Amino acid sequence: MALATSSRKLLPGLAGSDFSLRGILDSFISFGIFIKFLYVQMLLGYFLSFTNFVDVLYITPGTLLPNFKIWALFTYSLIEAHFYSLLINFVVLFIVGKVISPLWGSLEVLLFYLITTVISGLWVTMFHLIAYMFVGNIDFIFAVKISGGGFYSSVSTHKVYSLLLQLSGIMISWIYLRFYQLHANTRGDFSDGFTFASFFPEIAQPFVAFVSNGIYALLTRLGICKKIVKRYDVGASSGITLTVSPAERADYDRRRQLALKALSERLNKQDGTEACPSQTWPTLDNEESEINTSTDLQTVTVESSNHSKASQS
């Protein structure tokens, strides 16, 4: 229960989610086919990690390109040799299926997974090849078995470089989301809340911003990244108005549609469970019949009184 409460605070998209066993099963059933595929493949990859067949699925830097083991770029991220890593992947997949997939769609989630996984695998391979060139230790390219979750990291068997490889996976994901993800009318997300420095504590943000802005300026001159352009309406009567980027506007529209859909479903569910039986609510026909009955009784009473008066006279 405490874990569910903390998850809702960290991720507002999980607010209102049912974290009971039945709720988790219902959420899994509602996930797209790609998220279900990843669950099954990661579970299968965990059991395959105890067999010799798993060597074909790992990335080995010394054999990836010479032996043309290109399929390893797509399979290494599905192999987990540790149970705690498998649980972390399952939690990440649950968040992706619950929060990200409804906003992006299954196709965009698949594209994001493939891009980050393949590029991370290539980067890790090149990193070990460069390390072998400087160190001269052949174990860097033949004794290394690279595996791990493609969504959040690329894990090497060398503990010294594990943190660097995890950061590289995060960096590749951020670069794709920041500059290349396709939205309605533009690419990337250039909002101020998604800068690279915003991921660090406030005390470190000025230094990180100085370094990252310098790297960004170099990449824009090389044509790798495009320059951020913001439009201001100076002639507005209320002062300077900042135009919302198409990416932010598309996200707002998708979130509003999902919120309206969830609200409509909740209201329909409440109407179905809280509606009283039809016998307890009078209808127009019942009201009219009651009025006619009371009128007839009054008429009979008046006629009987007149008849008694006539007989007495």
Side-chain angles (χ1 to χ4, degrees), residues 94-311:
F94 182 84
I95 297 174
V96 171
K98 196 72 175 178
V99 180
I100 299 179
S101 184
L103 293 176
W104 291 2
S106 299
L107 184 60
E108 179 61 28
V109 173
L110 173 62
L111 181 62
F112 173 75
Y113 173 79
L114 292 178
I115 289 177
T116 54
T117 299
V118 173
I119 296 179
S120 296
L122 290 174
W123 158 248
V124 171
T125 301
M126 296 302 300
F127 180 84
H128 282 85
L129 291 176
I130 295 173
Y132 167 72
M133 292 173 58
F134 285 95
V135 178
N137 187 357
I138 199 171
D139 290 339
F140 275 92
I141 57 175
F142 289 108
V144 173
K145 307 294 182 183
I146 300 170
S147 66
F151 272 106
Y152 64 95
S153 66
S154 302
V155 182
S156 171
T157 54
H158 287 278
K159 302 299 182 181
V160 179
Y161 305 103
S162 178
L163 180 60
L164 295 176
L165 299 179
Q166 292 176 11
L167 293 177
S168 68
I170 296 175
M171 191 66 183
I172 292 171
S173 302
W174 177 81
I175 291 175
Y176 170 73
L177 296 176
R178 180 71 169 175
F179 300 103
Y180 298 105
Q181 187 182 32
L182 181 62
H183 295 277
N185 298 319
T186 186
R187 284 186 178 273
D189 183 1
F190 298 110
S191 59
D192 295 333
F194 197 57
T195 59
F196 185 71
S198 62
F199 294 96
F200 293 83
E202 293 184 1
I203 191 174
Q205 286 184 7
F207 175 74
V208 176
F210 176 77
V211 176
S212 60
N213 291 337
I215 297 175
Y216 172 72
L218 177 62
L219 294 178
T220 52
R221 289 190 177 184
L222 297 176
I224 298 176
C225 296
K226 63 180 181 179
K227 191 175 182 179
I228 299 176
V229 178
K230 293 185 178 181
R231 298 178 180 179
Y232 297 90
D233 187 5
V234 182
S237 59
S238 59
I240 298 177
T241 303
L242 177 63
T243 304
V244 180
S245 65
E248 292 179 342
R249 186 163 52 249
D251 290 338
Y252 293 155
D253 293 338
R254 286 195 295 266
R255 291 179 183 274
R256 184 170 63 251
Q257 292 176 1
L258 290 174
L260 292 175
K261 181 180 178 181
L263 179 61
S264 178
E265 292 177 352
R266 184 171 298 180
L267 291 176
N268 292 333
K269 185 182 295 185
Q270 291 179 354
D271 293 340
T273 56
E274 298 180 0
C276 297
S278 59
Q279 290 81 2
T280 60
W281 291 95
T283 60
L284 292 176
D285 295 336
N286 293 335
E287 293 179 355
E288 292 178 355
S289 62
E290 291 178 358
I291 294 173
N292 294 333
T293 304
S294 61
T295 304
D296 294 339
L297 290 175
Q298 293 177 359
T299 303
V300 171
T301 304
V302 172
E303 290 180 353
S304 61
S305 62
N306 292 335
H307 180 70
S308 63
K309 290 179 181 179
S311 62

Side-chain angles (χ1 to χ4, degrees), residues 9-34:
K9 291 181 180 180
L10 292 175
L11 295 172
L14 295 179
S17 301
D18 184 8
F19 287 97
S20 63
L21 180 60
R22 181 176 180 82
I24 294 176
L25 291 177
D26 292 339
S27 299
F28 178 78
I29 294 174
S30 64
F31 289 162
I33 187 172
F34 177 63

Side-chain angles (χ1 to χ4, degrees), residues 3-74:
L3 179 61
T5 304
S6 60
S7 300
R8 293 189 184 98
K9 291 181 180 180
L10 292 175
L11 295 172
L14 295 179
S17 301
D18 184 8
F19 287 97
S20 63
L21 180 60
R22 181 176 180 82
I24 294 176
L25 291 177
D26 292 339
S27 299
F28 178 78
I29 294 174
S30 64
F31 289 162
I33 187 172
F34 177 63
I35 301 296
K36 295 178 182 177
F37 169 79
L38 288 181
Y39 267 111
V40 175
Q41 290 300 316
M42 285 187 177
L43 185 62
L44 180 61
Y46 172 73
F47 290 110
L48 288 177
S49 64
F50 299 101
T51 65
N52 295 328
F53 179 75
V54 75
D55 293 335
V56 183
L57 306 177
Y58 282 134
I59 286 182
T60 304
T63 60
L64 178 65
L65 298 179
N67 295 351
F68 205 70
K69 284 180 53 179
I70 303 300
W71 66 84
L73 292 172
F74 302 94

